Amino acid sequence: MKNRLKVLRAERNWSQADLAQRLEVSRQSVNAIETGKYDPSLPLAFRIARLFDLSIETIFEA
Amino acid sequence: MTLGKERLSGRTYMICAAVLAFAAWCAIKGLLFFGQPAGALTIMAVVVAAAVAASLMLRRRLDEAGRSAERFAWYWGGGGAMALATVYLVTYMAAGAPWLDLALRGAWSPIELIALGAFGVAATQVMGFAIAGAAWWLKRR
């Protein structure tokens, strides 16, 4: 699944570790999500959307 | 792949406790049957309790991707390794199995054979788990 996570993170000058800490997941998980190799669960997708103050469909696309 | 906050449900702890109690009961019955000393039972109980506690602590710290990796590793790694080991054993037995022959002639006591079997199963599953878990994460780097 494609997503804009890397762009959104870069806009805020956050490292993967920073984002991981905010989302309470591991840096490896953030990397896997960013590269589209791991699809987050719905609760985690909601946490991501809430963190960036955007809707889920704005961040993720099928 | 690990981080705090995730919590296991009370049901998970209850299932773990029930499985552990049943396994301990089976193990103690078995060891008593083979006339093992109480010291061995105590050491075994402490080791098993420590292993279960460590597993629960590790599991609790995994995030959702880590848990996906763990599920994949146990299912495909543990199961796959056991399937391969079974094929190997059947082939080995079909080829004469000199090692089993020795065991059947009494070279090893029943308790030694049980210990060897348990170790073999655990080692096989852990190897498969490690390989499959590493593969899962490498694929998602």
Side-chain angles (χ1 to χ4, degrees), chain B residues 41-73:
Chain B
L41 296 177
T42 309
I43 292 170
M44 186 199 73
V46 169
V47 169
V48 169
V52 170
S55 302
L56 281 174
M57 278 164 59
L58 180 64
R59 175 79 183 171
R60 203 178 143 183
R61 288 177 56 81
L62 285 177
D63 67 1
E64 65 171 61
R67 290 182 183 193
S68 291
E70 194 190 46
R71 274 195 299 275
F72 176 87

Side-chain angles (χ1 to χ4, degrees), chain A residues 25-56:
Chain A
V25 297
S26 65
R27 192 198 59 76
Q28 290 90 338
S29 296
V30 167
N31 183 60
I33 295 168
E34 275 188 5
T35 51
K37 291 172 181 171
Y38 175 75
D39 295 333
S41 66
L42 202 50
L44 178 55
F46 270 111
R47 287 217 303 273
I48 293 169
R50 207 173 298 129
L51 179 67
F52 290 111
D53 201 20
L54 295 167
S55 63
I56 288 179

Side-chain angles (χ1 to χ4, degrees), chain B residues 104-127:
Chain B
L104 292 174
R105 283 185 201 159
W108 288 335
S109 68
I111 196 75
E112 286 171 333
L113 284 172
I114 290 172
L116 183 68
F119 177 78
V121 168
T124 304
Q125 288 197 328
V126 167
M127 272 193 291

